[in-house]
Amino acid sequence: MDGTLNEAQRRAVQTLDGPLLVLAGAGTGKTRVVTYRVAELIRRGTPASRILAVTFTNKAADEMQERVRTLLGNRRTDRPRIATFHAHALDILRRHIERLGYPRHFTIYDRSDQERIARLVLRELRLGQERLRPADLLALISFWKNRGIRPTQALELAQSDKQHLAAAAYRRYQKALKTHAAVDFDDLLLCTLELFENFPEVRRIEADRFDYLLIDEYQDTNQPQYKIVRALAEKHRNLCAVGDDDQAIYGFRGADVSHILRFTRDWPDAVVIRLEENYRSTGPILTAANRLITFNSQRHPKTLRAARAGGERPRIEQFPNEEAEAAGVVADIARRLRLPGKSPRDFAILFRTNEQPRTFEAELRRARLPYVLVGSMSFFDRAEVRDVLALIRVLDAPQDDVSLLRALQSCWPGFTRTQVEKLMAEATERGAPVWEALQRAATDQPAGNLAARAAGIVGKIRQFRSWLENGRSASLTALVQEWLAEVGYRQALEHKYPDGQEAAERWGSVEQVINALAAYEQHEPDGTLSDFLNSLALQAREFDDQKEKQLRRDAIVLMTLHSAKGLEFPEVYLVGMEEGILPHRHAVEDEGRAIEEERRLCYVGITRAQDRLTLTLALTRRKWGKPRPTIPSRFLFELTGLAEHGRSAPAASAGTDRQPSRAKRSATDRRGGSSQKK
């Protein structure tokens, strides 16, 4: 096994006991080390069930599990526990959430559900859109939760009027979730942490389940994740953290790079191993990346070395405006596509902001080149998918107001808005779920239109729930198929979308949900509808196969730098290298740590390139319809060795084919240099 590992990788694989920090630079074989290390533990006698490996996406967890299976042989039946943070937290909550006052069968609300709760809470507080929008409230709540801040703490920490209003709404939002027996995605971690902090016996039980803990992408942990990891590892201390502080780019989501920077302070006896041999990029590309990242003061020192010989130097191209930038990039791609062996999927155009791709899309269409804008609508955001999931949730838990209201309004033809509002008003007045109001309406005398319709719906729900609860003979899949037929959802779709082709395409999405349920039943024969819905909620948030499908197409890829992390392309165009774009204007205003994260983002973009890297900028860019002069990004001067370095001697010559224009450089040098003074 060790013959395929370099010396640093071998040390990381064979250092099994005690705390270990593996600093895995971009393209240095991190996944190989992680999987070989798990396999080595098992080969040396550790039961697979005593090993827990945690990562951030289902894709990464599945890939890791498959590689371990290949290394150990497919005939082995015992497997290590390899899961995402949120999936493992969900398992813990399934075992213990009743201690927090939730029922054992709870629901994970998606973004649409959260927005409905947020609107309800803001309406109760009589806060209009002009004072606090639902999206802004949810953003602040997520900000607090990712930092482990509860509602009472949020009230104490609030500074602006908007934050005070949001903190008050946060408390009501949490109460509403609990009333509906629901949690949101961030609560999976926060509730797990609450269990560990308030119930020491739960912490002991969960920590004692494993003897070895491995955390992938440790630089991306937020505060609850960091505390959960410490709680699970503090007894056996066999913690292996793998990550790269130079690729910590998710601060806006609550990730805290200080966790990986202070690892040796948290675990003073930790061994630190650096993986610096890069198998992805050529030497000239790595020279630029290494030079750029040394301008960050808060980092573990490391230098990437190319395992490949040769390679052309990165190019810097400047254009008069953003239209010319797009035209120049597309023309260059078109020329290179005429070379032997080149295909559209070899090329990626990476950008910092969501406004940038418009001009590139226009040029690509003009040139009739195939492209895909990665990150378009998720499968789980489609209206028909949300409708069907709401219908299934109603079958599983009719007291879930959010799902029941969506089903009443979207899935049962003829149920009017006025009737829905009447049910909501009665439920609010009585402080009871809408399900109770619906049952009460079904028994109203004399029976009116609402009573008749409510009676039909209540009767159907009770009938199907009875089959669910009293030992069903059919599978869950067959039951849900019959439920959709009984409700008449396909007819509702055809009524809503008269275009037969569109209705058929939307019904195809419904079939995909049924296929997912069938696959779930095959792998989890004892699973419940609640378990299926929660597993689907995790997939929707952690990994959407829509992105994977897009990347499999033979098309030029357009995507943000944040989305590009973990990917690689033979040829990369990093566009919009201007102050205010990269680094982003908010970071330019804040300086300090914000600039360091933007620099890491630029570093991630550079290290996506395998063979050829082009960095572009526009000398003017339109603002409110008028061309405005731009300032080249300070990062261009740093990666070419033209900026003053605040902490070390100037690096060697740039190794790029072009340099930013001197007319602009003096202003950027002054700005870039001043940002380095501490």
Side-chain angles (χ1 to χ4, degrees):
M1 178 183 76
D2 290 351
T4 60
L5 303 174
N6 63 38
E7 181 56 34
Q9 290 173 333
R10 189 175 295 109
R11 285 180 56 218
V13 166
Q14 294 178 349
T15 305
L16 299 179
D17 295 324
L20 170 67
L21 174 62
V22 180
L23 294 169
T28 57
K30 170 178 69 71
T31 305
R32 174 182 292 271
V33 167
V34 169
T35 52
Y36 271 62
R37 192 173 190 277
V38 172
E40 183 71 8
L41 281 167
I42 295 171
R43 282 195 171 124
R44 293 199 190 182
T46 301
S49 60
R50 304 295 298 174
I51 301 169
L52 171 63
V54 182
T55 186
F56 279 82
T57 67
N58 284 316
K59 179 189 174 187
D62 291 345
E63 181 182 351
M64 206 181 295
Q65 190 72 266
E66 183 57 37
R67 289 199 187 190
V68 170
R69 184 182 295 115
T70 301
L71 286 172
L72 294 173
N74 291 322
R75 285 176 294 180
R76 289 187 71 111
T77 56
D78 54 333
R79 294 279 178 258
R81 169 69 170 153
I82 301 178
T84 65
F85 265 106
H86 291 86
H88 190 64
L90 175 59
D91 278 355
I92 293 172
L93 294 180
R94 280 174 176 154
R95 290 188 283 270
H96 307 290
I97 197 169
E98 289 167 292
R99 292 173 182 258
L100 299 179
Y102 290 84
R104 189 166 63 88
H105 293 295
F106 58 94
T107 300
I108 303 172
Y109 273 0
D110 64 14
R111 177 70 185 192
S112 176
D113 299 330
Q114 289 179 263
E115 287 175 354
R116 288 171 185 260
I117 294 291
R119 281 193 290 272
L120 177 66
V121 165
L122 292 174
R123 193 161 56 242
E124 288 175 356
L125 290 172
R126 297 179 180 173
L127 295 176
Q129 292 263 359
E130 70 283 353
R131 300 186 71 187
L132 187 62
R133 297 183 307 159
D136 294 335
L137 170 60
L138 292 176
L140 277 167
I141 289 174
S142 184
F143 174 89
W144 284 321
K145 288 186 177 183
N146 281 311
R147 288 154 183 80
I149 298 170
R150 275 76 169 188
T152 52
Q153 297 168 296
L155 277 168
E156 295 169 4
L157 295 171
Q159 296 178 337
S160 66
D161 289 345
K162 186 176 182 179
Q163 288 175 352
H164 276 99
L165 293 173
Y170 179 14
R171 181 177 60 81
R172 291 201 178 206
Y173 171 85
Q174 287 302 108
K175 184 179 179 181
L177 285 179
K178 203 165 190 177
T179 299
H180 296 132
V183 297
D184 64 22
F185 197 64
D186 296 325
D187 281 333
L188 294 175
L189 300 174
L190 205 57
C191 288
T192 300
L193 181 58
E194 189 175 344
L195 280 170
F196 285 1
E197 290 177 341
N198 296 337
F199 301 94
E201 67 276 19
V202 171
R203 184 175 68 247
R204 283 194 298 272
I205 289 168
E206 293 301 323
D208 287 346
R209 291 168 65 87
F210 304 99
D211 297 321
Y212 289 89
L213 177 58
L214 189 149
I215 309 297
D216 191 20
E217 303 286 9
Y218 192 69
Q219 78 281 353
D220 293 335
T221 53
N222 61 25
Q223 190 69 4
Q225 288 163 337
Y226 168 77
K227 289 183 175 180
I228 289 169
V229 169
R230 295 206 65 177
L232 292 175
E234 62 186 355
K235 182 178 178 182
H236 57 65
R237 299 181 60 78
N238 293 322
L239 170 64
C240 173
V242 181
D244 182 11
D245 50 295
D246 290 336
Q247 296 185 78
I249 60 172
Y250 295 122
F252 67 97
R253 292 183 187 168
D256 190 344
V257 69
S258 72
H259 298 157
I260 194 169
L261 292 176
R262 68 169 185 248
F263 188 86
T264 53
R265 292 204 299 274
D266 290 340
W267 309 89
D269 55 334
V271 174
V272 179
I273 296 174
R274 290 171 171 79
L275 305 184
E276 298 174 305
E277 191 166 359
N278 177 286
Y279 296 94
R280 175 188 300 154
S281 307
T282 61
I285 292 172
L286 295 182
T287 296
N290 286 329
R291 183 177 294 116
L292 171 74
I293 203 63
T294 59
F295 278 80
N296 273 4
S297 60
Q298 301 297 312
R299 64 184 292 264
H300 289 289
K302 68 188 84 69
T303 303
L304 294 180
R305 300 184 302 275
R308 305 165 53 193
E312 63 179 271
R313 294 180 298 177
R315 303 177 312 139
I316 297 174
E317 296 288 348
Q318 52 191 22
F319 300 91
N321 53 51
E322 64 264 47
E323 288 83 8
E325 178 189 36
V329 167
V330 171
D332 191 52
I333 292 174
R335 280 193 299 271
R336 295 194 60 78
L337 278 171
R338 291 193 286 271
L339 296 175
K342 289 291 180 184
S343 63
R345 69 191 310 167
D346 293 336
F347 299 85
I349 300 172
L350 307 183
F351 44 87
R352 174 63 179 89
T353 68
N354 288 316
E355 294 78 30
Q356 289 175 262
R358 181 189 62 80
T359 53
F360 292 92
E361 286 193 84
E363 286 298 327
L364 287 163
R365 284 196 296 268
R366 191 174 292 120
R368 296 186 177 180
L369 294 178
Y371 74 91
V372 57
L373 179 61
V374 175
S376 55
M377 180 182 283
S378 161
F379 173 79
F380 294 94
D381 287 333
R382 297 174 187 175
E384 63 275 12
V385 173
R386 291 182 180 232
D387 286 348
V388 170
L389 293 179
L391 279 167
I392 297 175
R393 283 200 193 103
V394 165
L395 202 56
D396 180 62
Q399 70 275 13
D400 179 346
D401 280 1
V402 172
S403 298
L404 182 57
L405 287 170
R406 182 179 185 101
L408 291 175
Q409 294 176 90
S410 303
C411 309
W412 274 291
F415 213 94
T416 67
R417 187 180 189 87
T418 302
Q419 290 171 335
V420 171
E421 288 174 352
K422 183 177 179 180
L423 290 173
M424 289 174 63
E426 183 180 344
T428 301
E429 184 180 341
R430 292 176 178 269
V434 174
W435 170 240
E436 287 188 20
L438 188 67
Q439 292 179 99
R440 199 171 288 109
T443 59
D444 274 357
Q445 297 295 332
N449 186 35
L450 173 59
R453 181 157 292 281
I457 293 170
V458 168
K460 287 177 181 177
I461 292 174
R462 285 175 174 167
Q463 176 187 2
F464 276 82
R465 281 186 56 75
S466 175
W467 291 346
L468 259 179
E469 293 167 355
N470 299 324
R472 65 185 190 274
S473 57
S475 67
L476 287 176
T477 305
L479 186 71
V480 169
Q481 286 174 314
E482 190 173 343
W483 170 238
L484 293 178
E486 186 71 22
V487 169
Y489 184 64
R490 184 165 193 171
Q491 289 74 22
L493 268 183
E494 290 169 350
H495 177 76
K496 191 174 182 180
Y497 303 102
D499 182 330
Q501 183 176 350
E502 182 176 6
E505 288 175 356
R506 290 180 181 273
W507 183 250
S509 297
V510 176
E511 290 178 342
Q512 289 299 314
V513 176
I514 299 300
N515 292 342
L517 176 55
Y520 176 81
E521 267 200 292
Q522 183 178 352
H523 290 99
E524 301 287 345
D526 297 325
T528 65
L529 274 184
S530 178
D531 294 335
F532 165 69
L533 290 165
N534 286 341
S535 71
L536 213 57
L538 287 182
Q539 290 179 41
R541 289 297 300 263
E542 292 174 3
F543 169 64
D544 184 7
D545 64 355
Q546 187 75 6
K547 178 177 175 180
E548 286 300 296
K549 290 176 182 175
Q550 290 173 323
L551 291 172
R552 282 197 293 268
R553 288 178 52 189
D554 188 15
I556 298 158
V557 172
L558 278 72
M559 68 193 315
T560 65
L561 287 163
H562 285 99
S563 297
K565 185 173 177 289
L567 302 176
E568 57 186 36
F569 304 91
E571 304 201 19
V572 167
Y573 295 80
L574 187 44
V575 301
M577 293 294 296
E578 302 146 34
E579 292 286 302
I581 295 182
L582 187 63
H584 194 275
R585 62 183 177 84
H586 293 314
V588 172
E589 292 163 3
D590 292 344
E591 289 289 339
R593 287 189 177 184
I595 287 291
E596 295 216 344
E597 179 148 329
E598 292 291 300
R599 189 175 286 112
R600 292 194 292 267
L601 192 56
C602 184
Y603 173 86
V604 164
I606 291 171
T607 54
R608 298 313 93 197
Q610 295 170 297
D611 306 319
R612 190 170 182 264
L613 173 66
T614 304
L615 305 106
T616 71
L617 68 152
L619 296 178
T620 65
R621 197 169 287 270
R622 289 187 184 278
K623 219 171 196 181
W624 294 104
K626 294 183 179 180
R628 308 283 188 190
T630 66
I631 298 175
S633 171
R634 70 190 73 188
F635 301 152
L636 290 174
F637 301 102
E638 293 170 358
L639 66 89
T640 54
L642 296 173
E644 175 188 351
H645 203 300
R647 290 169 293 98
S648 63
S653 179
T656 54
D657 281 347
R658 296 274 305 267
Q659 297 173 357
S661 66
R662 291 188 180 277
K664 300 286 182 183
R665 185 161 63 239
S666 58
T668 310
D669 279 342
R670 288 195 298 272
R671 199 166 188 173
S674 65
S675 73
Q676 300 305 317
K677 294 174 183 176
K678 306 295 176 190

